[in-house]
Amino acid sequence: LEMMWGNVEATLAMLKKIAYREGVGNVFAEGLKRVAEKFGGEAQKCAVYTLKAATPRGHDHRARWMELIDTCTANTGAIEVGPGVPFIKELGQPPLKDPFDAMEVSTMNAMVNGRRIFEDSLVICILTSHDFQMEVEALNAVTGLDYSLQEALDVGRRAVNQLRLFNFRHGLTKAMEAPSERYASVPVDGPQAGKAIMPHWEALRSNYYQNMGWDRETGKPLPETLEKLGLQILIPDLGKI
């Protein structure tokens, strides 16, 4: 197959090979990280993925640190937090001042984490929900509940922490929450030119962990965090991961 840009027929043929694990499709079906490791060399330098083996969305996260950080630390395999930052005003927090300030962005991500998964649990799309306050009020009206915005966030955060415990039980480590070489590379043009995230990675990751109520050194949920979220039953699981 001539896998060149614009070759639709070759792309369709390759997708079929991947779906049926035919020929080289059997290799590509394992995901980009494993493919890059199998071929080695330049493939590992070019491939865009997280060290947890998730493949980011199609646009360039090097220009959106919020999503780059989120994709690497998410417990869902994709974006877990965003696009949540534009809604920070509803929580009484000031808007993001600098989208390339690693500490500010990682703190903001932690502040709003829970919203997206809360909405997912309602089986609605965050892209159609631009007023979190109205959404929670609608839920209260339909169900008779009396959730505040913070209580709604906590519902999502309970799911986030349950997913995290599950992931750690199945092999997640702090070292895996990082981007590949290409994913973290420094853009050479555009408004984000020269913006390098990796010099800040250790600090921003630890900062995110702390603001999420997780251990700064390991990323594992702290007992007090689980207790605060009503997940006391899961505290004994911390000794198993």
Side-chain angles (χ1 to χ4, degrees):
L1 296 175
E2 292 291 331
M3 298 305 298
M4 307 296 290
W5 290 110
N7 192 335
V8 177
E9 291 75 18
T11 301
L12 289 173
M14 181 60 74
L15 286 173
K16 183 176 180 180
K17 283 181 176 291
I18 292 171
Y20 287 94
R21 287 184 173 269
E22 296 174 347
V24 74
N26 189 47
V27 177
F28 292 144
E30 291 296 312
L32 192 57
K33 180 176 184 289
R34 290 175 179 171
V35 171
E37 290 172 343
K38 180 176 179 62
F39 289 114
E42 290 299 311
Q44 283 187 287
K45 295 180 180 180
C46 294
V48 176
Y49 57 85
T50 72
L51 299 193
K52 288 189 286 194
T55 303
R57 294 168 181 250
H59 52 276
D60 192 345
H61 287 171
R62 296 176 304 167
R64 289 177 62 85
W65 282 13
M66 178 194 78
E67 292 190 17
L68 198 160
I69 295 168
D70 185 14
T71 303
C72 289
T73 57
N75 300 284
T76 57
I79 292 175
E80 178 177 276
V81 173
V85 169
F87 306 97
I88 196 69
K89 291 181 180 179
E90 293 177 289
L91 300 176
Q93 300 292 335
L96 191 66
K97 295 178 181 178
D98 183 357
F100 297 108
D101 183 317
M103 301 304 283
E104 184 185 5
V105 174
S106 56
T107 297
M108 193 75 75
N109 274 17
M111 285 182 180
V112 298
N113 197 357
R115 176 178 187 261
R116 186 184 183 106
I117 290 187
F118 171 77
E119 291 178 325
D120 286 347
S121 72
L122 297 177
V123 201
I124 60 175
C125 177
I126 195 171
L127 296 179
T128 64
S129 307
H130 296 284
D131 190 326
F132 192 38
Q133 179 70 56
M134 182 182 294
E135 183 177 287
V136 173
E137 289 176 359
L139 175 69
N140 289 340
V142 170
T143 62
L145 295 169
D146 189 27
Y147 280 167
S148 65
L149 291 185
Q150 186 58 55
E151 287 170 329
L153 278 179
D154 286 346
V155 169
R157 291 172 87 92
R158 280 199 288 274
V160 168
N161 280 273
Q162 287 174 301
L163 286 167
R164 194 155 190 84
L165 284 171
F166 179 89
N167 291 343
F168 267 105
R169 176 176 284 189
H170 290 274
L172 175 64
T173 65
K174 175 183 178 180
M176 295 165 68
E177 298 204 301
S180 67
E181 181 178 341
R182 178 60 173 159
Y183 192 18
S185 61
V186 183
V188 297
D189 53 21
Q192 71 276 19
K195 303 290 186 181
I197 196 170
M198 288 313 292
H200 313 287
W201 194 260
E202 286 294 329
L204 75 83
R205 183 172 53 187
S206 294
N207 179 63
Y208 179 71
Y209 288 170
Q210 181 176 355
N211 281 283
M212 283 298 297
W214 302 338
D215 184 87
R216 285 177 59 92
E217 300 302 319
T218 65
K220 298 177 182 179
L222 295 170
E224 52 266 35
T225 299
L226 297 179
E227 184 171 1
K228 180 181 178 181
L229 292 171
L231 298 173
Q232 298 93 326
I233 193 173
L234 297 180
I235 292 177
D237 287 3
L238 291 172
K240 304 174 185 177
I241 59 177

